[in-house]
Amino acid sequence: MPLHDTNSTHNSYSIASAVQVAFGLSGNHPGLLAEFEVALKSVLINAPLERKLSIHILADQEAFVSLNEIFNRTELSTWRTRNPIEIHAYNVSSDQPQMEREIIDVHKPAFPSYSIDLKHTIGAFYRLFVDRYVSTHGKYILYMDTDVVIMSNLEALWRLVESQQMNVLFHWGKTMCSGFVVMNLQRVKEILALAKRSKFIKNITDGSTLDLNSDQTIYQAVNISYPNEVNVLPGGWDMTVTEIWQSNNHPYDKKFPNVGMLHFNGGGSTKYAYFDGENGTEHNFMTTFKDTWGNGKFYATLPWEWARYQAKSLILSNSIGHPIAFFWDEKSTFS
């Protein structure tokens, strides 16, 4: 049975200061959906202590249909939380052809015969169009891949970004991984425009290790060509396995004492979830470094019922808490 839309308002919470998190989902492979569930759980448990949380899920038809089953099975409608939480789901299937045309347009000046040959899924590019769906009243939105888990309260990340008082296009780590990027909602459109003008993409050759079919290359083009438009987050918010695996980063807890997230870089070589032991795909960092990276599996094994109680336990004594509000946009379109 579909969850009903909730249209209640929370006048005491500023829209502008709300924490906003976005996901992009394409397809309904069990591994993708399992990772999304775990990432969502980590976001909900680490919902900000002092402000509203809005979660935005851009999904194609297959993923959009799957969301209702996930939300019902996990009984999210029974949750009560310290501060208001909204979950918005957008079916972006009808907009996908336009997205593809805009992505191709970025590459055409340098590669006239360019066509999209996706290494991951088209869902990886949805982040570049999030402003077409989400209200730009709030300044920032965090995009995170499904193979990322939040390890600290999101209040800390928002305070960090807001304290910079910078009107840059986006904030990410020095490793330049687009799996975890805080974007300026009011300027997202400029990312594609600047990438198109960038000489970085023009200089990519057939022998380059960079992937023309990756959204990450678009972000890197902006970072390298227009560095003043980008801010670098501390290392604890840039914990990406493929970039910090080297021994000079050991021990991880000493080199990175203030960890806010872990990114396991799944999906490139397999569709199975990075924590899936049954199919032999459990990430070797989780087993080799049990005391640090192994903690990422906490969210995979934590029962949803226990997660619900963790959220409930944070409700102030003078409050009954807030139910999670759900909003469904089945025919999203943008101009």
Side-chain angles (χ1 to χ4, degrees):
M1 181 178 180
L3 296 169
H4 296 290
D5 290 359
T6 303
N7 296 307
S8 58
T9 58
H10 308 286
N11 296 327
S12 61
Y13 293 85
S14 168
I15 295 175
S17 65
V19 170
Q20 301 197 92
V21 179
F23 293 96
L25 304 178
S26 178
N28 57 4
H29 189 279
L32 168 73
L33 298 180
E35 285 188 350
F36 164 70
E37 242 186 78
V38 171
L40 176 64
K41 191 189 302 178
S42 76
V43 169
L44 292 172
I45 290 177
N46 289 292
L49 296 175
E50 304 300 336
R51 58 187 96 197
K52 174 181 172 181
L53 170 66
S54 294
I55 299 171
H56 303 272
I57 306 163
L58 279 60
D60 66 7
Q61 177 64 26
E62 289 184 332
F64 186 82
V65 171
S66 301
L67 290 175
N68 192 65
E69 186 278 328
I70 292 174
F71 296 161
N72 277 296
R73 175 170 45 76
T74 55
E75 299 183 336
L76 287 181
S77 62
T78 66
W79 281 46
R80 297 196 79 85
T81 58
R82 177 188 178 104
N83 297 319
I85 294 179
E86 296 179 354
I87 298 180
H88 299 252
Y90 311 86
N91 186 341
V92 304
S93 294
S94 61
D95 300 325
Q96 192 162 299
Q98 176 64 22
M99 293 181 188
E100 293 179 359
R101 285 191 292 268
E102 293 191 34
I103 295 165
I104 291 172
D105 186 58
V106 170
H107 298 85
K108 281 292 185 181
F111 301 92
S113 60
Y114 174 83
S115 61
I116 298 178
D117 179 19
L118 297 171
K119 176 182 178 181
H120 297 283
T121 69
I122 187 64
F125 288 91
Y126 290 169
R127 72 199 77 184
L128 289 162
F129 304 95
V130 68
D131 61 316
R132 317 289 179 93
Y133 305 95
V134 180
S135 168
T136 55
H137 290 301
K139 185 170 183 179
Y140 304 110
I141 189 164
L142 164 65
Y143 174 87
M144 52 186 279
D145 282 347
T146 59
D147 55 0
V148 173
V149 289
I150 303 299
M151 298 298 293
S152 300
N153 195 274
L154 287 168
E155 187 77 37
L157 176 62
W158 242 245
R159 288 178 180 173
L160 175 65
V161 171
E162 289 178 340
S163 69
Q164 302 294 319
Q165 296 184 337
M166 302 174 70
N167 193 37
V168 295
L169 289 176
F170 55 89
H171 308 247
W172 67 351
K174 69 175 183 179
T175 63
M176 295 195 291
C177 176
S178 64
F180 191 89
V181 54
V182 179
M183 293 180 287
N184 185 333
L185 259 177
Q186 299 159 7
R187 301 187 64 197
V188 172
K189 286 185 176 67
E190 297 177 49
I191 296 175
L192 285 174
L194 290 182
K196 184 177 180 179
R197 290 162 43 190
S198 170
K199 294 181 180 180
F200 176 75
I201 288 182
K202 295 178 182 178
N203 292 334
I204 295 177
T205 64
D206 291 339
S208 172
T209 58
L210 295 167
D211 185 0
L212 278 176
N213 295 297
S214 168
D215 69 284
Q216 185 164 284
T217 301
I218 291 175
Y219 284 92
Q220 290 175 338
V222 174
N223 192 150
I224 292 172
S225 298
Y226 308 95
N228 291 335
E229 292 288 3
V230 180
N231 182 50
V232 177
L233 295 172
W237 293 100
D238 186 31
M239 297 294 289
T240 302
V241 163
T242 55
E243 300 296 336
I244 66 165
W245 59 270
Q246 299 93 335
S247 59
N248 63 297
N249 287 315
H250 302 173
Y252 291 106
D253 54 331
K254 303 302 181 184
K255 289 293 183 71
F256 303 96
N258 302 320
V259 167
M261 49 75 79
L262 296 175
H263 185 191
F264 289 93
N265 296 98
S269 59
T270 175
K271 289 186 176 181
Y272 292 107
Y274 63 86
F275 51 80
D276 185 353
E278 293 183 7
N279 290 290
T281 58
E282 183 172 353
H283 204 290
N284 61 353
F285 260 51
M286 301 185 81
T287 55
T288 304
F289 304 101
K290 293 181 180 180
D291 293 339
T292 51
W293 288 85
N295 287 287
K297 197 169 183 178
F298 166 77
Y299 297 102
T301 58
L302 180 71
W304 275 97
E305 292 81 1
W306 292 10
R308 177 178 58 194
Y309 183 69
Q310 287 194 19
K312 182 180 178 181
S313 69
L314 295 175
I315 297 174
L316 297 175
S317 59
N318 61 347
S319 170
I320 62 171
H322 303 268
I324 295 178
F326 297 86
F327 302 85
W328 299 88
D329 188 344
E330 300 192 22
K331 294 183 180 180
S332 298
T333 57
F334 63 67
S335 57

